[in-house]
């Protein structure tokens, strides 16, 4: 009985960690969209950091849509990547919780 309770707790903790990691990824992508839409200075350290991290998390979708307008392109591509990360996170967390 104690082993089962420990396994459930461990799986619950793992699910929570995975959920936090997934939401941090989504937050970076959404923050990059917001900074782009608000014309944040690309030379600023924070803006450059967020852009760099977000660029690594796009799942290769940063050129899915190619409109001429930069803001629209980033909103669409990074928005789709954020939605996919949110979906992946939700599915994985649900599976981990169900397995326990």
């Amino acid at each position: 009985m104690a082993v089962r309770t420990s396994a459930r707790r461990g799986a619950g903790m793992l699910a929570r960690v995975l959920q936090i990691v997934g939401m941090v990824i989504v937050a970076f992508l959404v923050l990059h969209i917001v900074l782009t839409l608000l014309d944040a200075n690309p030379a600023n350290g924070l803006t450059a950091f967020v852009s760099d991290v977000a660029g690594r998390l796009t799942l290769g979708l940063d050129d899915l849509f190619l409109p001429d307008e930069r803001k629209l392109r980033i909103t669409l591509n990074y928005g789709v990547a954020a939605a996919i990360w949110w979906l992946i996170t939700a599915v994985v967390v649900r599976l981990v919780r169900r397995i326990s």
Side-chain angles (χ1 to χ4, degrees):
M1 188 71 148
V3 172
R4 195 177 304 180
T5 303
S6 294
R8 240 184 244 150
R9 263 193 218 137
M13 287 174 56
L14 176 61
R16 186 70 182 137
V17 168
L18 291 171
Q19 186 174 33
I20 290 169
V21 169
M23 291 303 104
V24 167
I25 291 170
V26 170
F28 267 103
L29 292 165
V30 171
L31 184 57
H32 179 58
I33 292 169
V34 170
L35 289 173
T36 300
L37 292 175
L38 296 176
D39 291 321
N41 178 7
N44 178 277
L46 175 65
T47 305
F49 174 72
V50 170
S51 176
D52 183 50
V53 172
R56 296 169 191 260
L57 301 171
T58 62
L59 302 170
L61 299 173
D62 52 338
D63 62 353
L64 180 63
F65 300 103
L66 298 172
D68 292 333
E69 174 60 37
R70 179 180 177 271
K71 289 181 181 181
L72 179 59
R73 184 174 60 248
I74 287 176
T75 300
L76 290 172
N77 294 327
Y78 285 68
V80 168
I84 291 172
W85 273 112
W86 179 83
L87 182 63
I88 290 169
T89 300
V91 168
V92 169
V93 167
R94 183 169 287 194
L95 286 172
V96 168
R97 287 188 175 144
R98 187 169 284 185
I99 289 171
S100 69

